[in-house]
Amino acid sequence: MPGMTWTIAAEPYDSPAAAALWRAYYTEVSDRWYLLHEGRRTDPDELEREIAAKTGAELAPPTGQLLITRYEGEPAGSAGVRLLDADTAELTRVFLYEGMRGRGGASPLVAAAEDAARALGARHIVLDTRSDLVEARALYARLGYTETGPHNDDPYAEHWFRKELLPLR
């Protein structure tokens, strides 16, 4: 829509907006997995344990960064990066609220995360995702990520991607 604006800025991983986005992200991906594999939603106690256990502290400077995108000033999505080693950053927690999807926010959010990875010194960026997250896989392919072999042993990861980061001009 003309006149509608997206903004992207770094934010602490434990800010209220970041916490709300993490809860929404984890609930969605967990429910999708359980519905696909077990025909049920995530057990509420398990959901609370996992959300609490994965605070996002690895997305704090100096070796990480969490970005929040806002649409017309309201939190709409997030993306995080963290260094795995001196040259490699991992892209994680890429998420837009369902009502914000399809409005052109995902590509600039990932581009901002790539810039954050460069600022951390990374020369390439990796990520993992699952087969059922077809929208995510399509986004990464469209943005120049190439599917590769595993870079981790996450039991839920089924697809791994990599992209070389060209230096900022």
Side-chain angles (χ1 to χ4, degrees):
M1 298 176 104
M4 299 296 174
T5 59
W6 288 95
T7 58
I8 302 167
E11 192 158 320
Y13 70 90
D14 57 354
S15 73
L21 285 157
W22 171 232
R23 175 173 290 283
Y25 168 88
Y26 195 84
T27 300
E28 181 175 328
V29 298
S30 184
D31 279 353
R32 282 176 77 161
W33 191 89
Y34 277 113
L35 286 167
L36 179 65
H37 296 283
E38 297 184 12
R40 65 174 179 89
R41 294 196 179 282
T42 311
D43 174 83
D45 290 337
E46 177 189 357
L47 183 68
E48 293 307 318
R49 279 192 309 274
E50 290 302 313
I51 288 170
K54 296 179 180 162
T55 65
E58 72 279 7
L59 303 178
T63 57
Q65 187 74 73
L66 179 70
L67 301 170
I68 302 292
T69 187
R70 286 177 165 74
Y71 186 75
E72 289 297 300
E74 293 298 319
S78 65
V81 293
R82 68 182 180 122
L83 288 178
L84 298 180
D85 60 45
D87 293 325
T88 309
E90 180 181 40
L91 178 63
T92 186
R93 294 193 186 193
V94 176
F95 175 75
L96 288 174
Y97 285 126
E98 187 174 1
M100 295 290 106
R101 296 173 192 163
R103 298 181 186 203
S107 294
L109 179 59
V110 172
E114 292 170 359
D115 288 346
R118 284 184 195 91
L120 294 170
R123 296 183 344 177
H124 43 264
I125 192 165
V126 297
L127 63 91
D128 65 68
T129 191
R130 299 188 326 233
S131 293
D132 63 307
L133 301 176
V134 293
E135 308 91 339
R137 291 184 10 244
L139 171 68
Y140 301 133
R142 188 174 78 246
L143 297 178
Y145 286 78
T146 303
E147 195 157 355
T148 65
H151 65 267
N152 63 27
D153 59 359
D154 183 324
Y156 296 104
E158 297 170 315
H159 298 271
W160 295 263
F161 289 83
R162 178 184 176 101
K163 183 176 180 178
E164 299 303 313
L165 296 174
L166 301 174
L168 291 174
R169 295 178 202 184

